[in-house]
Amino acid sequence: MRWTSFWVVLLLHQCQYTCSKVVAPPLRRLPIPSASQLKWQRREVIVFFHFGMNTFTDSEWGTGEESPALFDPAALDTGQWVDAAAGAGASLVILTAKHHDGFCLWPSRYTDHSVARSPWKGGRGDVVRELVDAASARGIDVGLYLSPWDRHEKSYGLEVEYNEYYLAQLQELLTRYGRISEIWFDGAKGEKAKKMNYYFKDWFETVKQLQSSINIFSDAGPDIRWVGDESGSAGSTSWSTVNRTVLRIGDASLESYLNTGDPRGTDWVPPECDVSIRPGWFWHKNETAKPVSQLMEIYYNSVGHNCVLLLNVPPNSTGLVSDDDMQRLRDFRAAINSVFSTDLAAGSAAKASTQRGGEGGGFAPDNVLDCDDRTYWAAEDGDRGRGHWIELALPRANASFNVVRIQEAIAMGQRIMKHEVFADRKLVAKGTTVGYKRLHRLPSPVKARRVKIRITKSRGPPLLSAVGLHYDPFNKGSSVGKHNIGTEA
């Protein structure tokens, strides 16, 4: 009898261990983001500061022949710039350390066309240093743009000499100012510019050697890609993956490819949407900021389409962000918060078509409600012929929502190719990719007891980290195309 009791107790312990064992995560769907790319993606909104010689000449593209004596901001305050960016919720600011005119906002040893030859602070000023220090004091990260096209430098057009010059300036920026989070390259130059073969491969490898955790932006990545337009809008299909072997910096024929990405892409190079708060990239006295409604439209078409929004805010010729622009940034952030600070899906009961490992496996449907993108619902392999789905039974049937938020666990790769959204079995939205975040604006507010996300096509079992429902009082439905509304089969 004692032996029988012993074996019963042993079996109970073994069962307890077996039943509580967490199931291993599914295999990642390659390619996947690096740690620095994940951190960048979670920023959602970052700010660009276009400031330099053009600010004082009322132009967008300088000639390179401007006198450094023109650069003399009377009240430059980079702390105020960073405060403006923080007001928009940005955690990263990027400065045009050198634009196409070649004027350098730091005292470079390799040119006389810099702040060192200007009257500002008696030639002893350094805008890059002041921005880095101001940002550091406020817990904000810094990125830099160093224009490849240089209309002042005499060696431009001489292949070896100019690439040596450019690399020397790049090294100055990446060794003098501490950690830089993003470095910005582009292929912009005028039609009549001298022919110049940029050694991008050398530049990229030098950047990574000097700062291994930095993200490099360009038309071709390697870490972040241009979205293909300057309107702040990504494609409704937006893959973080591309094939870098087909990309060429400055090739306009690739803009559509950059905008949508490639489901068969072998490289994780997510898109960044750059747009200016004003019509121009540099400050002009006769221009004003976009209204909040337009900024919200941009937000939905960038962050809501699996992108990071890079919003340009140009300081004026006194060296300050204009008061109207400061207020517009605060209003923009307030509008975002008014929509997304309340999640009408919170407290829902979640169920799904399948769950990896069953109950207790660690991949439960209610993981999409825990506000932690490191946890996720994972479906079992296979779709049983009808696709995977997750359904939320809402805690309040009378709550109205007109925005549906869906997020994938992108640390495990991007998977979803097609999806549909149902409210009480009525189709209210459908789309292709999801990625880090997909925001569906509905034509009109919806009241429902149950909301279901059906994944109709996916590269392997879908992994959803979040599903949210929100009400946007600014959304009049004018920009939302109506689907052929039907019911769930």
Side-chain angles (χ1 to χ4, degrees), residues 192-337:
K192 297 181 180 180
K194 296 176 183 178
K195 291 184 179 180
M196 184 68 220
N197 180 28
Y198 302 133
Y199 290 179
F200 283 115
K201 187 172 185 287
D202 293 39
W203 300 0
F204 294 168
E205 291 190 7
T206 298
V207 167
K208 291 294 187 178
Q209 181 188 70
L210 297 174
Q211 300 216 19
S212 59
S213 64
I214 198 170
N215 282 320
I216 299 174
F217 168 98
S218 79
D219 297 5
D223 302 305
I224 305 166
R225 76 178 192 263
W226 182 46
V227 76
D229 62 56
E230 293 184 345
S231 62
S233 180
S236 57
T237 296
S238 180
W239 289 97
S240 293
T241 52
V242 293
N243 280 317
R244 286 194 59 221
T245 55
V246 306
L247 298 181
R248 294 175 299 278
I249 297 175
D251 188 341
S253 69
L254 295 171
E255 290 178 1
S256 177
Y257 183 80
L258 291 168
N259 196 250
T260 61
D262 189 343
R264 295 175 297 279
T266 56
D267 304 290
W268 188 276
V269 189
E272 185 172 271
C273 288
D274 58 321
V275 65
S276 185
I277 196 170
R278 289 165 169 249
W281 288 95
F282 285 88
W283 178 81
H284 304 284
K285 187 177 181 179
N286 62 340
E287 293 183 352
T288 57
K290 294 175 172 62
V292 171
S293 59
Q294 188 175 355
L295 294 176
M296 287 298 290
E297 180 79 10
I298 289 169
Y299 180 86
Y300 280 111
N301 290 331
S302 56
V303 177
H305 284 180
N306 187 40
C307 283
V308 167
L309 170 59
L310 174 57
L311 181 62
N312 179 63
V313 182
N316 61 31
S317 56
T318 65
L320 297 171
V321 173
S322 299
D323 290 341
D324 289 346
D325 292 2
M326 288 274 289
Q327 186 59 50
R328 192 57 46 83
L329 291 170
R330 288 192 290 265
D331 292 344
F332 177 40
R333 175 46 57 179
I336 294 171
N337 291 345

Side-chain angles (χ1 to χ4, degrees), residues 37-111:
Q37 287 173 319
L38 273 175
K39 181 178 181 179
W40 168 86
Q41 188 86 61
R42 290 173 178 137
R43 295 181 191 276
E44 296 196 355
V45 177
I46 59 181
V47 166
F48 217 161
F49 294 128
H50 271 65
F51 183 71
M53 189 59 71
N54 294 337
T55 308
F56 300 88
T57 60
D58 196 29
S59 59
E60 287 288 299
W61 280 11
T63 65
E65 297 177 1
E66 299 87 355
S67 169
L70 295 172
F71 185 87
D72 193 16
L76 189 144
D77 183 355
T78 55
Q80 189 250 14
W81 302 4
V82 179
D83 289 340
S91 61
L92 168 66
V93 295
I94 300 176
L95 173 67
T96 54
K98 182 186 78 170
H99 204 252
H100 310 323
D101 52 75
F103 184 78
C104 298
L105 296 184
W106 80 102
S108 174
R109 295 175 298 170
Y110 300 99
T111 182

Side-chain angles (χ1 to χ4, degrees), residues 439-458:
L439 298 175
H440 285 290
R441 287 175 293 171
L442 308 184
S444 58
V446 169
K447 292 182 179 181
R449 292 185 176 275
R450 295 181 182 275
V451 173
K452 178 182 283 187
I453 312 295
R454 182 179 290 280
I455 314 301
T456 57
K457 190 175 182 181
S458 180

Side-chain angles (χ1 to χ4, degrees), residues 64-65 112 150-158 162 165 194:
E65 297 177 1
D112 59 1
D150 190 324
R151 305 186 76 178
H152 176 83
E153 172 54 35
K154 298 297 186 289
S155 67
Y156 189 87
L158 302 174
Y162 182 72
Y165 171 80
K194 296 176 183 178

Side-chain angles (χ1 to χ4, degrees), residues 353-354 377 379-380 382-383 386-390 453-455 461-462:
S353 53
T354 61
W377 162 63
E380 288 281 13
D383 63 6
R386 294 193 61 193
H388 300 285
W389 56 263
I390 185 169
I453 312 295
R454 182 179 290 280
I455 314 301

